Amino acid sequence: MKYTLILTILFLSCNYQVNNCVEIYLIRHAEKDRTDPLNKNPHLNENGKERSLLWNEYFENNKIDAIYSTNYNRTIETILPISISKGIKPIIYSPSNINYDSFLKKVKGKTILVVGHSNTIPDFVNGLIEEDYYEQINDTVNSNLYIVKKCSEEINHNVIQIHALQQ
């Protein structure tokens, strides 16, 4: 009986720790059509459409509970294949109106994908990790994948580049 009680407490504490964690993937939109420099809301170009399929392939075997996107053609089109394959409707957010503490409480215990822009994604990551660590993304780079894992007060973060999937 004593051992059962101890095992139960250990199990519940481990389970609490896992449910207290959040994993957030953050990407910049895929390559956009640059033929009209005055267009503030361009669609993806052909390379961008290919990258959106690459992101879908990358996340194919990853659990995603929610997808957050800014309300622009290029961001929505970047995550559209993922949204369709996972059956998840994107949640539209405004980068200038993010309260990171509220966001983290809302997504606790989940795995989240966030898509934004060269100047908003690094800021989003910095807000999550509470440190001015990442700089704006070069305008020609669309391959960065930022990963933030937070369990209670422990935060791990890194950035990798996804150019093509390994066979």
Side-chain angles (χ1 to χ4, degrees):
M1 179 71 163
K2 180 178 170 182
Y3 294 112
T4 305
L5 181 59
I6 291 171
L7 287 174
T8 301
I9 291 170
L10 284 173
F11 174 76
L12 291 175
S13 66
C14 289
N15 202 22
Y16 173 76
Q17 184 75 356
V18 169
N19 290 337
N20 217 14
C21 297
V22 62
E23 186 166 14
I24 305 169
Y25 297 98
L26 302 100
I27 60 175
R28 178 189 179 203
H29 62 78
E31 292 84 347
K32 64 185 177 184
D33 181 349
R34 295 176 183 269
T35 56
D36 180 0
L38 299 177
N39 184 357
K40 299 291 184 199
N41 193 16
H43 292 276
L44 296 181
N45 63 23
E46 288 307 311
N47 288 339
K49 291 173 186 175
E50 287 179 28
R51 185 173 303 280
S52 73
L53 296 174
L54 177 67
W55 285 124
N56 184 49
E57 196 174 332
Y58 179 85
F59 288 107
E60 184 177 34
N61 295 317
N62 292 34
K63 174 187 161 214
I64 301 289
D65 295 303
I67 301 170
Y68 286 77
S69 175
T70 59
N71 197 18
Y72 288 88
N73 292 328
R74 59 195 176 274
T75 53
I76 293 169
E77 291 170 7
T78 297
I79 50 86
L80 187 60
I82 302 166
S83 176
I84 291 170
S85 71
K86 300 225 179 260
I88 299 172
K89 182 180 177 185
I91 299 165
I92 303 299
Y93 77 97
S94 171
S96 60
N97 293 329
I98 293 288
N99 178 306
Y100 297 104
D101 288 333
S102 296
F103 177 79
L104 286 168
K105 286 177 186 170
K106 184 177 186 177
V107 300
K108 186 169 38 173
K110 297 181 179 177
T111 302
I112 306 300
L113 173 62
V114 177
V115 62
H117 307 270
S118 61
N119 61 337
T120 65
I121 288 298
D123 287 346
F124 202 119
V125 176
N126 290 339
L128 294 173
I129 66 173
E130 299 178 28
E131 185 179 347
D132 192 18
Y133 189 84
Y134 295 100
E135 295 180 7
Q136 286 189 2
I137 304 168
N138 183 298
D139 196 44
T140 61
V141 175
N142 300 85
S143 57
N144 287 1
L145 171 61
Y146 297 82
I147 304 169
V148 177
K149 295 179 185 180
K150 184 170 184 176
C151 289
S152 297
E153 296 306 313
E154 182 180 335
I155 300 174
N156 294 304
H157 58 92
N158 66 326
V159 61
I160 58 175
Q161 291 197 334
I162 307 295
H163 295 290
L165 296 180
Q166 302 294 323
Q167 296 295 346

